[in-house]
Amino acid sequence: MSDSATTADDSAASDTQKQTRPSLPLVFADRRRGMPPRHLADLDKDGLQAAVKELGLPAFRANQLARHYYGRLESDTTKMTDLPAAVREKVGADLFPPLLTPIKHLACDDGDTRKTLWKANDGTLLESVLMRYPDRATLCISSQAGCGMACPFCATGQGGLDRNLTTAEIVDQVRSAAADLRDGLVHGGEGRLSNVVFMGMGEPLANYKRVVSAVRKITSPAPDGLGLSQRSVTVSTVGLAPAIRKLADEGLSVTLAVSLHTPDDELRDTLVPVNNRWSVAEVLSAARYYADRTGRRVSIEYAMIKEVNDQPWRADMLGKKLHKALGSRVHVNLIPLNPTPGSEWDASPKDVEREFVRRVIAQGVSCTVRDTRGQEIAAACGQLAAEN
């Protein structure tokens, strides 16, 4: 079966839309209503076989095409030489339409961080970020163009939601990066994509159905997917509690990252407006359910904002609440606030960071400061805005 960026999402996102208080500045409906073209990566196995049959091709071509895309990372039918020349153009138009065109690449960190600005065929802009480390290569991908969560310290959230991405638009960000690494088209020479994080543009769990479908295609072995380990995939959320619980029941073993940013509801109502719907206690309860169901440690993301959420008493409260809710199955990632245009906020001083880490650890919760990448090219957390 195929999906579309413009169809209604399933119950998790529907619950969000229906139950959010009207005063909340959140946008879940797409601004654009154009129908993205069908792509092989939108289809499940039965859907692909049906599509191949519609093209008048024998059934075995479905497996062949899937192996080209997922196994060989190839989306250009002119290079699929085991496909009859007479049908390559037709197959390309029907199952491999151009989804994302790279507009520009920007690099920093001695070339180890590369941000790509993509344009979808309807003109939608989005970004992904590839980061190379000595022992791994991590791709930060977008699940939406823009974001409707309206967090005031995030450039993506301040820009609002443009539309959901299709499953294929999500998966193709990964396929393209994996192909570039394999072919040595990224600084550092040939390599292999090892990790994928849904921490780019958008709230992944507000595009629930397509994100879960994309995760399965990213992690299934060829010819059904790209073959990455589920444990190498991280899905982030600002705290859509029902969707977290739903994800826990999917039978996946991906890492859940919760963007908490403060342990108290009073401040979080402002920093993460969806907290007006699901409180800190509800979010941590859902995270506990995820940890119980999957056996995976939950990651807590915490942007350190000078004199806003970096007080010692908040560190103590954070550690106590996390230890009570999750015990040892939690890790806190402190993220120095990345500057965004026009923001009145700044990152916490290093000595404040260190004291915050010490106090969280003192409560029995592991805590580290995340290595910040990509600030010079607006590729760091909270900076993606897809400006051309």
Side-chain angles (χ1 to χ4, degrees), residues 214-225:
V215 167
R216 295 192 188 282
K217 292 177 187 297
I218 290 167
T219 58
S220 295
D224 300 315

Side-chain angles (χ1 to χ4, degrees), residues 22 194 219 224 254 258 267 292 308:
S194 56
T219 58
D224 300 315
V254 299
V258 178
L267 178 57
D292 287 344
V308 174

